[in-house]
Amino acid sequence: MKKLTLGHSVKSLLLALGCAASGHASADANLIARGEYLTKAADCVACHTTKDGKPFAGGLAFKTPMGTLYSPNITPDKETGIGRWSDEEFLRALHEGKGKNGENLYPAFPYTSYTLLQDDDVKAIKAYLFSLPAVHQPNRENDMPFPFNQRWGLWFWNLVNFDGQRFEPDSSKDAQWNQGAYFVEALGHCGECHTPRNITMGMKDSKAYAGTEIDGWTAFNITSDPHAGIGGWSQEQMVQYLRSGHVDGKAQAAGPMAEVIENSTRHLTDSDLNAMAVYLRSLKPLNPDDETQSRSDWGQPATSVNTLRGMPFTADNNTDGARLYLGNCASCHGFTGGGVQDGYYPSLMKNSVVGASAPNNLINVILHGVSRKTNDGEVFMPGFANTLTDEQVVSLSHYLLQQFGQPALNIKADDVKTLRGE
């Protein structure tokens, strides 16, 4: 029997089709990889994932003065997620703050920053999200009283607070500065947390990056002011902080900023982190409270604890700050507060959490601890919310402030109770 063979032209055609398919698959893989990187840079997982919930399935509560919002499911599930969204609808959401059906989205979703994203980057983010497993999880209804539950009212909010536009490089600046501006202003949307809000909850452009309070934590001033901001930080220190959340003698990230580092900035390239540092260090210096000393410039070694070593606690002195420090803190941070040499247990001197002009972050760290994954491992400090009373937290905080921070700060039990979340 004569063996059948494919003609040369047919072979060529099949080979060409195979190469085209391979090239298309490679292009898709590159797009998804790019989208994964950009999604991490934008820290999407933080807002669209509940504690112990499935990534990007939504349901995280955002308590605002206007009511409680819940983040939506952005997995590719076609019923409860964004599986039926087109590229155009996804672009409109990020660029204009519009939902699939044209409804106004609440600005808890930072479209006021994402509007700067280039179209190709938005499509890459969508490609990555659509490559993930679909999670069938219905979205929770927002708990917004009238009139804030009327989305049409956001038209007025947008009129005052929103200027939809794509990022345009500044021709007077170099490429690295523009690269940093794009990552800070658009992808990282850093201003959303670090900029004070006006009466309508829009960002105060006149005080951009001057610091504010968010969810009980202080998002510090990150302008180039040497006292109130990060003007005393070097380029290398900025990159180190964004990579690890720790700079000896400056700061250790906790709370929401620890999440940003864990989910986002530690995954970025050195090139992008250096560009972000260049841009942040160029921000206009602002010092709204006329601070005269950097928050990382406070503190001296403590000596009071040494006199208490070996002495038992008694019922009448268990709220004494020095004793509380000895019993709960000294084993890690040292009797003098100097921490350990490798910085895993940081020094409490020259520590921005202790030296800040507002005590929120210090109280939050005592209550809730620190948990931060880095590229070198996990940083952990236990919280003492279940072991210390409000009065004991006040006493311990005052001791820490007297020894290592701003002694003039006054903390009350009600402050602790509020941050405890009761």
Side-chain angles (χ1 to χ4, degrees):
M1 179 181 291
K2 187 175 181 180
K3 189 175 182 180
L4 295 175
T5 59
L6 292 173
H8 182 269
S9 60
V10 176
K11 287 182 177 180
S12 299
L13 176 61
L14 291 176
L15 181 62
L17 289 173
C19 291
S22 175
H24 182 68
S26 177
D28 286 348
N30 290 337
L31 182 66
I32 290 170
R34 173 65 175 165
E36 180 180 11
Y37 183 80
L38 295 172
T39 301
K40 288 178 179 178
D43 199 11
C44 304
V45 72
C47 291
H48 291 275
T49 308
T50 59
K51 183 179 180 181
D52 301 323
K54 294 183 178 179
F56 303 104
L60 188 67
F62 291 84
K63 295 182 179 180
T64 77
M66 291 80 176
T68 301
L69 297 163
Y70 295 94
S71 62
N73 183 338
I74 57 170
T75 74
D77 184 75
K78 292 184 178 181
E79 301 300 327
T80 64
I82 59 171
R84 298 185 188 278
W85 285 52
S86 66
D87 285 355
E88 291 71 23
E89 289 165 342
F90 195 75
L91 282 162
R92 185 175 61 178
L94 273 69
H95 285 164
E96 302 175 30
K98 301 285 188 182
K100 180 175 176 59
N101 299 314
E103 71 277 15
N104 289 314
L105 300 177
Y106 288 98
F109 172 60
Y111 62 86
T112 48
S113 295
Y114 290 159
T115 186
L116 296 168
L117 293 172
Q118 301 296 339
D119 288 9
D120 287 346
D121 285 344
V122 175
K123 291 177 182 178
I125 291 172
K126 178 176 177 287
Y128 169 66
L129 293 175
F130 271 57
S131 75
L132 299 174
V135 179
H136 188 82
Q137 178 171 297
N139 293 309
R140 294 189 62 176
E141 291 290 332
N142 296 324
D143 184 13
M144 305 283 285
F146 184 85
F148 304 115
N149 61 352
Q150 303 298 304
R151 291 179 182 264
W152 58 264
L154 290 168
W155 182 89
F156 297 99
W157 190 93
N158 287 330
L159 186 65
V160 174
N161 298 295
F162 179 53
D163 182 17
Q165 56 183 333
R166 305 298 83 75
F167 177 80
E168 291 290 342
D170 186 338
S171 59
S172 68
K173 305 290 186 179
D174 63 21
Q176 186 180 44
W177 186 94
N178 279 295
Q179 177 184 354
Y182 187 67
F183 270 78
V184 170
E185 298 283 354
L187 283 162
H189 57 282
C190 305
E192 301 281 349
C193 288
H194 289 275
T195 298
R197 299 279 171 171
N198 58 34
I199 194 172
T200 67
M201 297 303 292
M203 288 187 287
K204 287 184 179 179
D205 292 338
S206 62
K207 294 186 177 181
Y209 299 97
T212 188
E213 184 178 317
I214 181 168
D215 295 334
W217 291 81
T218 297
F220 288 134
N221 183 325
I222 54 172
T223 72
S224 61
D225 186 86
H227 301 305
I230 56 171
W233 290 50
S234 69
Q235 175 79 8
E236 293 74 19
Q237 287 172 329
M238 286 293 301
V239 172
Q240 180 183 338
Y241 183 77
L242 292 171
R243 175 76 73 201
S244 70
H246 170 82
V247 177
D248 193 37
K250 292 291 184 184
Q252 292 78 37
M257 191 61 207
E259 292 181 7
V260 169
I261 289 163
E262 178 175 331
N263 296 326
S264 179
T265 55
R266 73 181 175 110
H267 300 287
L268 302 185
T269 64
D270 288 341
S271 173
D272 288 333
L273 290 180
N274 271 286
M276 291 175 70
V278 165
Y279 178 73
L280 288 169
R281 295 177 72 225
S282 77
L283 292 174
K284 177 184 176 181
L286 294 175
N287 190 347
D289 299 321
D290 297 322
E291 296 181 43
T292 58
Q293 186 171 335
S294 169
R295 55 184 175 266
S296 59
D297 242 357
W298 294 81
Q300 56 187 356
T303 58
S304 56
V305 170
N306 283 325
T307 62
L308 300 174
R309 294 172 66 182
M311 294 179 61
F313 285 94
T314 60
D316 61 352
N317 65 18
N318 67 353
T319 59
D320 176 75
R323 292 183 181 277
L324 288 168
Y325 179 84
L326 176 61
N328 297 281
C329 313
S331 59
C332 292
H333 295 284
F335 297 110
T336 66
V340 295
Q341 189 171 5
D342 66 4
Y344 183 88
Y345 300 119
S347 171
L348 299 176
M349 296 168 276
K350 300 188 182 302
N351 184 313
S352 62
V353 169
V354 187
S357 59
N360 304 44
N361 292 7
L362 174 60
I363 298 171
N364 273 315
V365 167
I366 294 172
L367 289 174
H368 308 300
V370 176
S371 178
R372 183 178 74 244
K373 290 181 181 178
T374 74
N375 294 339
D376 297 320
E378 185 169 0
V379 177
F380 178 76
M381 168 188 154
F384 296 92
N386 295 328
T387 57
L388 298 180
T389 67
D390 292 347
E391 290 74 17
Q392 288 175 321
V393 173
V394 169
S395 183
L396 176 58
S397 298
H398 280 153
Y399 174 79
L400 294 171
L401 292 170
Q402 288 288 331
Q403 297 292 326
F404 313 115
Q406 301 200 36
L409 291 180
N410 185 33
I411 302 172
K412 299 178 181 178
D414 285 345
D415 300 329
V416 179
K417 185 176 182 179
T418 298
L419 294 175
R420 192 185 285 273
E422 296 178 347

